[in-house]
Amino acid sequence: MLFPTITQDAQLIGELYNFVFVFAVLIFLLVEGLLIWTAYKYRRRAAGEAPVQVHGNNLAELTWTVLPGVLIAMIFGLTVDTMSKLTAAGSINNPIAHVHAIGDREAQARVERAQKVDLVVEVTGKQWFWAYDYTDYDGLGAFGLSSGVGDELVIPAGKNIRLDMTSDNVIHAWWVPSLGGMRYVNPGDRSYIWFNVPDTGKEQVFLGQCNVFCGKDHALMVAKVRVLPEVQFRAWYSATATARNQPPDFTKGDAARGKEIFTTGVCASCHTVAGTKAQGKVAPREMTTFASLPTIAQLPASDPKATINTQNLYAWLKNPAAVKPGTAMPNNKLSNRDAVDLVTYLLTLK
Amino acid sequence: MASIPVPVTRRGSALGGLIDILTTVDHKKIGLVYIVSSFIFFILSGLLALGIRTQLAVPNNTFLPPEAYNMVFTMHGTGMIFLFVIPILTGGFGNYLVPLQIGARDMAFPRMNAFSLWMFIFAAILIMTGVTLAVVGYTAQIPSLTQFSSSAAWTAYVPLSSKQFSPQIGMDLWVLGVIALGISSTLGAVNFLVTIYAMRAPGMTAWRMPMFTWSMTVTAAMILVATPVLTAAMIMLIADRQFGTQFFSTSNARLWQHMFWFYSHPAVYIMVVPAMGMLSEILPVFSRKPIFGPKVIILSTVAIGVLGFTTWAHHMFVSGISPEVERFFMFTTMVIAVPTGVKIFNWIATMWGGSLNFKTPLLMGFGFLSTFVVGGITGVVQGAIPLDAEVHNSYWVVAHFHYVLFGGSVFGIFGGLYYWMPKFTGKMLDEKLGKLHFWTMFVGFNLTFFPMHILGLMGMPRRIAVYPDGRGWEVSNLVATIGAFMIALSVLIFIINYLGLARRPKAPENPFEGNTLEWATDSPPAEYNFKKIPVVTSARPLWEARTGQKDIEH
């Protein structure tokens, strides 16, 4: 492996690679050597040469059928052994690492350690960036990083990290080679990846990229992972959580920014506002004169959450299902600021 | 078309020749139209490859905007696979050679054969017109023209290829084109199987069939099983796009992957097995020896044909299928290396102790063997699931399949073109230009694709329109680009060689001491192939006639 293998999983993969690579080189040298030797030794020297007509040799053919078979069996066995020790490859809809290490106590213990997750980050593949939602770390609360511009995944060193990954558009893939392995990030289900980056006492940065072609700017969908020593991470986490979770301040609402989010972001994939780029055809009614409508989401006017005002609209955008159970509108995990700006914009649509 | 040096202008005028091509049901003319047209698509798809390599020559390049780059790599893959390698090997060489090799006067269903050809041409025009319009659109800044090409990669994974994420009409043209190609290919497969089953000359038992005909038998069987699944998937996709049938709704995204790879993995063998068959013809002839272990060569081809259908999900090791299923596909993927390895050793043994005549076809054969083995080895490496999890979709994979499909199929195709050109045209290609072609292509090929292994192991994903500097990817990419232009130069040398054919002397009936029946008739053969249908008594009828010795019985 030409990239540094940082995590234990990546190291295991690197060792398997090195083992297989030795045999790959040996077979390569054998075949190329035979070819060169044949070309030199048996080149035609005289026009009338009449070589002996050999039609085959059962023993020779059996040998070069069985020996490669044995070699393949060996590589297969070693690969299965490596797989039993890996924790990274959690399968679909299953957040628990598969324990195949039956009888291998050391590997078993390692998998079990890895299952004690210290930090879960919900990763959403967007077109074309990664959005990170931190559910909690040691009781410090939840927040999201999803502006789409230059967000990094920040994690603590020496801790078990699990990424719970999904997509709300096309298929993506999470691939940070140094951290071991790759998983597709699929719309409609969840995939999982684990890692534990050893603590070096210093900040570490690892680069990766989306690895399933996902449309126009696939090339720009970089995954940057910043690993901080635990103390620094804790400071970063509480500072970011506080900043991201500022209570909503409607006096600072920015309708122009709200319009930008609405017309270029996720809202526009379903909703229409005449005269803008938002031309989605999914939602039941168009939004051009939204602020003049009687209620939010056709709720009965008797419902105290139905009247269109800043507080109600804010609550609706932050968690639609809590206002109207069963609604088709998803929770888009808007940050407080984004929600405030959207509310301000929506109230201008008269 | 007027430049094809084949006897199509016998009716006396260019118009007569054109009408002859358009109405012919002769397997040889159909084969040659396949070869010439698919070679034109090879050139077009190759130009797209030069676009890719120019864009990636240096970091942060702006030669192609991302939309244009995405279209270019999509159409490079589509063109090379569907419009070049498969049609030239099956429709081209297969059509021309199989009836001759088995001593028949034509294919079993000549008019269906013509239908397959024109279905292929129609599909190719559908796809290639879209690309041409889009290229014009990007260069002349006419946005309305850019929508005529697909840009969802040749794999067209849903939901990326759905109406929502690929709204342009080019995606529909692409799907329709692939459906038409699938019909053409499936009918062709039926034609080959019936021809080979029913129309062999007296005395040609299964074990006496030439190696290329055997490889076409296996290829046709694979096409017959695999291609309808792809066609079905494409019909479902276009129904989703046009009528909202929701076959591949979000929760069914993996259904597309299964159906697509159920065809597209065997397609790799569909593309390489005929080339292997041509190699099994060329190596014995240019070594003056019989093929070593013919039954083992044949059975390993059959084994590849069968096992080829059990490995498709290795394209999905990281897409989220159960670990138990993954292990099964890992096993089959590794096992298929065994029959392939057997072939390589049998081929070397064929030449061992021979009298190697280093004409261009044999050089191309060495090009095939020495590069294909690299693709075979890397195939086993990435068949191991944990390693696949680090190299999947990276440039390592790009290197791997080019070593298989360029190293194997394309070297094989050029070997076949040099070997059978006297039969096709009655003229010999120039040997000096041929050797120059080989060495330029061999060096260019390795310069282009070997560094891609390194790029993949350094973490460079495939299908990216641009890459930043500072990741250590610069040198390998630049070398690859230089190599790509060398390959282009080598193809240019071949075209010059071909265009010079008219001035070359008339070829003898059997210039390379070929042993199979296509060399037992005129070059080029008359419309009825053989004056008298030959009676076959061994696998090498012409060797017996030439040496006066008896070949071994099968």
Side-chain angles (χ1 to χ4, degrees):
Chain A
M1 290 291 166
L2 291 170
F3 45 78
T5 49
I6 300 299
T7 61
Q8 219 169 0
D9 280 0
Q11 280 165 9
L12 280 167
I13 297 175
E15 284 165 20
L16 178 66
Y17 178 83
N18 291 340
F19 177 85
V20 177
F21 187 71
V22 170
F23 286 96
V25 169
L26 286 178
I27 293 195
F28 173 78
L29 292 177
L30 173 71
V31 174
E32 305 292 351
L34 282 172
L35 282 172
I36 292 169
W37 172 251
T38 312
Y40 171 76
K41 179 89 194 303
Y42 300 112
R43 71 189 187 281
R44 184 168 301 175
R45 293 177 169 87
E49 283 178 356
V52 183
Q53 302 293 297
V54 183
H55 288 268
N57 181 318
N58 287 346
L59 184 64
E61 289 167 71
L62 193 67
T63 310
W64 62 59
T65 309
V66 170
L67 282 186
V70 171
L71 184 63
I72 291 291
M74 199 171 71
I75 292 175
F76 178 80
L78 200 84
T79 306
V80 170
D81 183 55
T82 301
M83 286 170 75
S84 72
K85 293 174 182 159
L86 287 174
T87 52
S91 76
I92 213 71
N93 293 327
N94 181 5
I96 307 300
H98 269 258
V99 183
H100 286 286
I102 300 157
D104 184 342
R105 289 218 181 136
E106 198 187 323
Q108 177 87 23
R110 217 170 70 72
V111 172
E112 280 167 9
R113 274 202 306 281
Q115 286 168 356
K116 294 191 184 71
V117 176
D118 300 306
L119 172 67
V120 174
V121 183
E122 290 180 3
V123 177
T124 310
K126 303 277 187 179
Q127 278 180 317
W128 293 269
F129 61 91
W130 299 100
Y132 305 113
D133 284 291
Y134 290 77
T135 47
D136 188 28
Y137 181 69
D138 215 6
L140 291 172
F143 63 88
L145 299 174
S146 52
S147 73
V149 195
D151 281 333
E152 304 166 345
L153 176 65
V154 183
I155 54 164
K159 297 284 179 185
N160 291 334
I161 314 295
R162 191 180 85 208
L163 305 185
D164 290 12
M165 305 185 291
T166 191
S167 161
D168 57 11
N169 43 81
V170 299
I171 302 171
H172 303 275
W174 174 267
W175 186 38
V176 180
S178 294
L179 304 184
M182 168 194 328
R183 290 313 272 180
Y184 275 21
V185 176
N186 299 297
D189 60 35
R190 284 181 171 269
S191 41
Y192 305 89
I193 206 160
W194 288 256
F195 44 85
N196 184 326
V197 182
D199 195 354
T200 58
K202 284 188 299 240
E203 179 182 303
Q204 307 167 69
V205 174
F206 302 101
L207 288 177
Q209 229 162 317
C210 171
N211 202 17
V212 166
F213 178 63
C214 60
K216 177 173 161 277
D217 281 330
H218 167 59
L220 306 182
M221 195 163 164
V222 172
K224 190 171 181 184
V225 180
R226 185 178 296 279
V227 186
L228 299 174
E230 211 275 336
V231 180
Q232 285 177 36
F233 175 78
R234 186 175 286 271
W236 172 87
Y237 194 100
S238 49
T240 315
T242 313
R244 297 285 301 183
N245 294 330
Q246 288 286 345
D249 180 354
F250 294 101
T251 61
K252 288 186 181 161
D254 181 346
R257 189 169 171 278
K259 183 180 180 184
E260 184 68 17
I261 296 168
F262 190 95
T263 55
T264 61
V266 66
C267 314
S269 57
C270 296
H271 295 292
T272 297
V273 173
T276 70
K277 280 184 279 183
Q279 296 294 330
K281 301 280 185 262
V282 178
R285 61 188 180 189
E286 71 147 67
M287 310 285 288
T288 314
T289 55
F290 174 77
S292 307
L293 294 170
T295 60
I296 294 170
Q298 291 170 305
L299 287 164
S302 56
D303 189 328
K305 292 177 285 189
T307 323
I308 294 181
N309 60 38
T310 47
Q311 290 298 339
N312 280 346
L313 204 46
Y314 181 83
W316 164 250
L317 291 178
K318 286 290 272 187
N319 193 354
V323 176
K324 185 182 181 186
T327 179
M329 181 147 137
N331 181 349
N332 289 302
K333 298 191 178 159
L334 298 166
S335 73
N336 296 2
R337 185 184 162 203
D338 289 354
V340 166
D341 290 343
L342 275 170
V343 167
T344 314
Y345 168 64
L346 288 172
L347 290 175
T348 67
L349 298 174
K350 292 190 172 130
Chain B
M1 288 288 177
S3 69
I4 315 167
V6 296
V8 290
T9 49
R10 273 182 190 163
R11 294 187 183 185
S13 66
L15 182 67
L18 185 65
I19 291 171
D20 190 27
I21 288 178
L22 290 172
T23 56
T24 186
V25 293
D26 175 41
H27 72 100
K28 297 181 290 302
K29 287 175 189 165
I30 288 174
L32 290 175
V33 177
Y34 260 117
I35 290 177
V36 172
S37 51
S38 53
F39 200 86
I40 291 169
F41 301 129
F42 170 59
I43 294 168
L44 293 177
S45 311
L47 290 174
L48 295 174
L50 291 184
I52 294 174
R53 286 317 319 165
T54 307
Q55 166 65 15
L56 296 181
V58 289
N60 300 316
N61 200 357
T62 53
F63 173 70
L64 290 174
E67 300 95 327
Y69 181 88
N70 296 340
M71 174 201 85
V72 164
F73 82 71
T74 298
M75 287 316 189
H76 164 70
T78 306
M80 284 296 185
I81 292 164
F82 290 126
L83 305 182
F84 169 56
V85 177
I86 295 178
I88 201 172
L89 282 170
T90 60
F93 286 96
N95 254 318
Y96 196 101
L97 293 172
V98 165
L100 284 168
Q101 286 200 328
I102 62 171
R105 296 216 187 275
D106 206 322
M107 296 285 282
F109 307 113
R111 279 186 290 182
M112 191 167 89
N113 205 14
F115 179 77
S116 291
L117 167 67
W118 295 108
M119 200 73 176
F120 159 69
I121 300 279
F122 163 75
I125 289 173
L126 207 60
I127 292 171
M128 277 297 168
T129 310
V131 188
T132 313
L133 288 176
V135 169
V136 171
Y138 282 115
T139 33
Q141 312 276 337
I142 310 168
S144 58
L145 288 183
T146 60
Q147 57 155 336
F148 285 102
S149 178
S150 159
S151 54
W154 87 281
T155 51
Y157 270 23
V158 291
L160 185 62
S161 57
S162 66
K163 194 88 181 167
Q164 187 186 354
F165 296 103
S166 294
Q168 76 272 31
I169 188 167
M171 191 73 228
D172 296 293
L173 289 179
W174 184 89
V175 175
L176 286 174
V178 177
I179 291 172
L181 288 168
I183 294 168
S184 159
S185 204
T186 309
L187 292 177
V190 172
N191 214 343
F192 280 118
L193 288 174
V194 175
T195 306
I196 295 166
Y197 179 75
M199 297 180 63
R200 278 169 287 145
M204 181 163 285
T205 60
W207 295 121
R208 288 177 189 162
M209 263 172 27
M211 291 294 144
F212 177 71
T213 298
W214 255 112
S215 74
M216 279 306 303
T217 315
V218 173
T219 304
M222 294 186 85
I223 290 175
L224 195 58
V225 178
T227 310
V229 177
L230 179 76
T231 309
M234 290 289 166
I235 291 171
M236 288 153 84
L237 178 59
I238 202 149
D240 272 10
R241 290 176 58 81
Q242 294 302 327
F243 315 120
T245 42
Q246 300 288 343
F247 286 113
F248 302 115
S249 55
T250 300
S251 54
N252 276 351
R254 269 182 224 86
L255 175 62
W256 171 266
Q257 295 170 30
H258 277 296
M259 292 183 79
F260 179 82
W261 289 115
F262 184 82
Y263 166 79
S264 294
H265 194 76
V268 175
Y269 301 104
I270 289 170
M271 286 185 272
V272 86
V273 164
M276 288 173 160
M278 304 205 303
L279 193 66
S280 299
E281 299 282 349
I282 290 170
L283 297 183
V285 166
F286 289 84
S287 313
R288 278 196 187 147
K289 275 186 64 194
I291 188 92
F292 190 91
K295 289 188 186 178
V296 170
I297 294 256
I298 290 165
L299 289 175
S300 62
T301 307
V302 175
I304 289 172
V306 174
L307 285 172
F309 280 99
T310 63
T311 64
W312 79 88
H314 68 214
H315 296 269
M316 302 169 63
F317 280 163
V318 292
S319 78
I321 52 177
S322 91
E324 291 73 20
V325 174
E326 288 183 345
R327 266 156 223 237
F328 168 78
F329 282 101
M330 173 165 89
F331 182 72
T332 53
T333 300
M334 290 183 168
V335 162
I336 204 166
V338 174
T340 316
V342 168
K343 275 181 178 301
I344 287 178
F345 288 116
N346 270 41
W347 284 325
I348 293 173
T350 300
M351 297 188 288
W352 194 267
S355 167
L356 299 187
N357 182 13
F358 276 97
K359 293 268 168 60
T360 312
L362 183 61
L363 282 177
M364 292 289 176
F366 269 84
F368 180 126
L369 281 169
S370 57
T371 51
F372 181 78
V373 69
V374 176
I377 292 169
T378 51
V380 174
V381 174
Q382 72 206 22
I385 294 166
L387 302 181
D388 184 74
E390 287 290 24
V391 299
H392 176 89
N393 266 1
S394 74
Y395 259 89
W396 162 284
V397 172
V398 180
H400 158 74
F401 69 73
H402 280 95
Y403 267 85
V404 173
L405 290 179
F406 195 125
S409 307
V410 179
F411 275 97
I413 287 166
F414 277 114
L417 284 173
Y418 278 93
Y419 179 51
W420 280 292
M421 194 61 84
K423 184 52 59 186
F424 295 159
T425 64
K427 303 286 179 87
M428 309 275 290
L429 285 166
D430 184 71
E431 266 301 307
K432 277 193 190 122
L433 282 176
K435 291 199 166 81
L436 187 64
H437 169 199
F438 168 75
W439 286 109
T440 320
M441 191 163 85
F442 186 74
V443 174
F445 167 81
N446 284 296
L447 280 182
T448 308
F449 296 109
F450 196 80
M452 290 185 186
H453 293 111
I454 298 164
L455 286 172
L457 293 180
M458 291 173 95
M460 181 166 171
R462 71 193 283 201
R463 294 175 179 150
I464 54 172
V466 65
Y467 58 94
D469 49 8
R471 309 246 354 226
W473 301 344
E474 293 90 343
V475 177
S476 296
N477 269 302
L478 187 59
V479 171
T481 301
I482 293 167
F485 280 91
M486 272 185 82
I487 296 175
L489 177 67
S490 76
V491 175
L492 195 63
I493 295 170
F494 173 79
I495 294 169
I496 291 169
N497 198 347
Y498 174 77
L499 293 178
L501 263 186
R503 294 193 310 274
R504 307 273 309 152
K506 172 113 182 65
E509 195 175 273
N510 187 2
F512 299 122
E513 300 177 352
N515 296 320
T516 37
L517 289 179
E518 76 269 28
W519 301 106
T521 181
D522 303 332
S523 299
E527 197 139 348
Y528 44 83
N529 289 353
F530 301 97
K531 291 189 183 72
K532 185 165 165 281
I533 293 293
V535 177
V536 182
T537 55
S538 79
R540 294 191 296 167
L542 273 73
W543 183 84
E544 290 193 326
R546 196 167 57 244
T547 60
Q549 292 170 317
K550 185 88 188 80
D551 204 11
I552 62 161
E553 288 286 335
H554 285 296

